Amino acid sequence: MSKAIPEEYLIALNNKLMNLSSRDPKKIELLYHASENFNVSISTIRRYLQNYHKLKIKKRFDYNKPRKISHENRIKFCKAIAVLQEGSVSKKGKHLSIGRVIWILENVVAEVDGIFLKLPKNTLSKCMANRYLKRLGLTRKQRIKQPVVVRFQAENSYDCWQFDFTESELRSLSKKIGDDDKKLYLESVIDDHSGIIYPEHFTADGENSTNALKFLFNAMKKKIISF
């Protein structure tokens, strides 16, 4: 029965192997030496190393939980730092540093969105503030970054329709139809994928869903061009 190889030995062996090239003959020597120490084959050592790489890194139980400041206050003061820093931007683009803003919050009562805030001293460091500002997307660089403009377009034909109908300004009725005072409307629909436009005139008292459904039926019942 093979002996269990301690995790500390695997860590040390893995670090040595990582510093060597893939074809370095010293790798075989290290594996052979390890197999002799634990009276196992080289294949067993390699299997142990493979399983070691699959191990999940364990984090401390208090990870991401500062002891000097609560999670709610941390987010609140990080937002206050972002607001004060943005408010200090000059015409030349210069602004207060994170350290200076923290000093202001610690020594002067600051008003942010109608709320007076004062940060207890030595509870929020510059390093911690920078880390959480980045996580919250509140750094100066993240705030001024413009979003990428993406033109909307349907992926397939007949996927998306722009539909609208308004009173026609180019044509009008020469006389009233019956006793109703109807108006001439223009309906049009655009296929965003192919660019095909289908217009149609109709008479009605006003905009309603029945006329809209009739128009969509007429527009879609015949495909002039197949895709």
Side-chain angles (χ1 to χ4, degrees):
M1 182 178 180
S2 61
K3 299 180 181 178
I5 302 178
E7 187 175 348
E8 295 80 5
Y9 186 88
L10 292 174
I11 294 174
L13 179 60
N14 180 73
N15 292 337
K16 292 179 182 179
L17 294 174
M18 290 293 291
N19 294 328
L20 301 175
S21 62
S22 58
R23 296 185 178 182
D24 197 321
K26 291 184 179 180
K27 279 193 170 185
I28 299 297
E29 294 180 6
L30 290 173
L31 293 173
Y32 181 76
H33 183 67
S35 64
E36 283 190 337
N37 288 340
F38 293 95
N39 194 22
V40 294
S41 63
I42 294 179
S43 299
T44 302
I45 298 296
R46 286 176 174 169
R47 186 168 60 252
Y48 269 101
L49 289 172
Q50 187 177 6
N51 293 332
Y52 163 73
H53 285 294
K54 295 180 181 179
L55 293 176
K56 294 182 180 179
I57 300 176
K58 295 182 180 179
K59 297 179 180 179
R60 292 173 45 173
F61 70 95
D62 58 348
Y63 173 76
N64 201 29
K65 297 179 181 179
R67 290 171 289 180
K68 294 183 179 180
I69 186 172
S70 64
H71 177 71
E72 293 76 12
N73 287 334
R74 180 181 59 201
I75 295 178
K76 179 176 65 177
F77 282 109
C78 283
K79 291 181 178 179
I81 290 173
V83 172
L84 293 176
Q85 190 181 48
E86 189 66 26
S88 66
V89 179
S90 64
K91 293 181 179 179
K92 295 182 178 180
K94 296 183 178 181
H95 54 83
L96 294 174
S97 64
I98 299 295
R100 185 59 179 173
V101 176
I102 292 176
W103 183 90
I104 293 174
L105 288 173
E106 290 180 343
N107 296 274
V108 182
V109 177
E111 183 181 358
V112 180
D113 296 335
I115 301 175
F116 293 94
L117 299 173
K118 187 172 183 180
L119 178 66
K121 292 186 177 182
N122 301 323
T123 56
L124 186 63
S125 64
K126 179 181 176 180
C127 180
M128 183 187 298
N130 283 322
R131 183 167 66 251
Y132 287 104
L133 282 171
K134 186 175 181 180
R135 290 184 183 180
L136 295 171
L138 297 176
T139 62
R140 172 73 179 162
K141 185 177 181 180
Q142 291 171 327
R143 293 196 303 270
I144 64 177
K145 184 177 181 181
Q146 296 294 329
V148 179
V149 178
V150 180
R151 179 184 175 276
F152 177 79
Q153 184 176 3
E155 295 181 358
N156 302 303
S157 184
Y158 293 96
D159 268 2
C160 181
W161 293 75
Q162 294 179 350
F163 175 71
D164 184 31
F165 59 102
T166 57
E167 187 175 352
S168 178
E169 297 179 355
L170 298 178
R171 295 183 179 182
S172 60
L173 296 175
S174 58
K175 59 180 181 180
K176 293 183 179 181
I177 300 176
D179 298 332
D180 297 331
D181 187 13
K182 293 187 177 182
K183 297 179 181 179
L184 183 66
Y185 282 87
L186 172 66
E187 290 179 313
S188 62
V189 66
I190 303 173
D191 183 359
D192 281 344
H193 182 76
S194 62
I196 293 178
I197 302 176
Y198 176 79
E200 184 179 304
H201 283 89
F202 74 102
T203 57
D205 298 332
E207 300 178 2
N208 56 68
S209 58
T210 303
N211 290 327
L213 291 174
K214 287 181 180 179
F215 168 74
L216 289 176
F217 177 78
N218 293 333
M220 301 178 69
K221 68 180 180 180
K222 292 183 179 180
K223 292 184 179 180
I224 301 176
I225 301 176
S226 59
F227 299 92

